[in-house]
Amino acid sequence: MKRPLRPEERHIWGMVASTVHPLPGRGTPTASQEAAKTETAARIAPPRPAARPGKVREQLDGIEPNRRHRIAREREDIGARLDLHGMDQVRARAVLEGFLAQAFHEGWRAVLVITGKGVQGDGVLKRRAPEWLAAPHLAHIVAGISDAARHHGGEGALYVALKRKARR
């Protein structure tokens, strides 16, 4: 007997299911299959605010040049490091979001996220990480991102500036 999926598993499955497309030349899904897919995705995935296409990168500013320089020179602490090498997109996104939440909770102001460059410098994690960091549900955590200095990973890593926690 199969156990029911936990909410976080349903969320991840919904993200995966929404990326599935038929192979080229294998026919297109019928209208009833599309309707079933949409209904299933709506039932599985929690509602998320829609991001405007083409505006994701504009929503997240780069780190101010002086602050980036302080982080690169290690005059401002890099609170924690996360290496996403070897992870698939679904796992990498979940780990990244959990890592950012923990770093923010602990009061860190800057972290280093190592994505790697990919085989030919066009790695999927390198491309997708800035999109994930610009997600609306992380807006209260992420202040900005910039490519890391060479000694911290260069183009295969990102500095992520975190916002201050609100004092209560």
Side-chain angles (χ1 to χ4, degrees):
M1 185 168 133
K2 293 183 180 179
R3 69 170 175 78
L5 293 176
R6 296 187 307 247
E8 63 271 9
E9 292 171 329
R10 277 196 307 271
H11 173 69
I12 291 171
W13 180 252
M15 289 181 0
V16 171
S18 69
T19 65
V20 175
H21 304 288
L23 293 172
R26 301 286 176 132
T28 58
T30 65
S32 62
Q33 289 171 329
E34 279 296 319
K37 179 180 162 188
T38 304
E39 180 183 308
T40 302
R43 209 178 44 229
I44 292 174
R48 284 194 157 198
R52 292 176 295 182
K55 297 288 184 185
V56 174
R57 290 208 183 242
E58 293 176 9
Q59 292 175 0
L60 191 58
D61 297 328
I63 300 173
E64 305 87 27
N66 289 338
R67 184 169 183 202
R68 187 200 175 280
H69 184 74
R70 287 192 311 270
I71 294 169
R73 297 281 185 207
E74 297 180 8
R75 292 186 186 123
E76 183 173 326
D77 287 337
I78 295 174
R81 290 169 170 75
L82 173 66
D83 191 342
L84 299 175
H85 278 105
M87 294 185 195
D88 62 11
Q89 290 182 58
V90 174
R91 174 115 174 97
R93 184 174 187 170
V95 169
L96 176 62
E97 290 178 0
F99 169 76
L100 291 173
Q102 182 66 30
F104 179 73
H105 177 72
E106 291 182 12
W108 292 111
R109 299 280 289 131
V111 295
L112 179 68
V113 177
I114 302 165
T115 61
K117 294 181 192 175
V119 177
Q120 296 177 342
D122 63 344
V124 69
L125 298 181
K126 176 184 171 184
R127 262 192 339 265
R128 298 294 308 273
E131 296 172 22
W132 300 336
L133 292 166
H137 67 281
L138 294 177
H140 71 286
I141 295 176
V142 179
I145 62 169
S146 292
D147 283 340
R150 188 172 180 196
H151 66 277
H152 283 138
E155 293 177 11
L158 296 169
Y159 294 131
V160 181
L162 304 178
K163 294 183 177 180
R164 293 183 198 273
K165 281 177 67 172
R167 294 184 184 183
R168 295 181 188 229

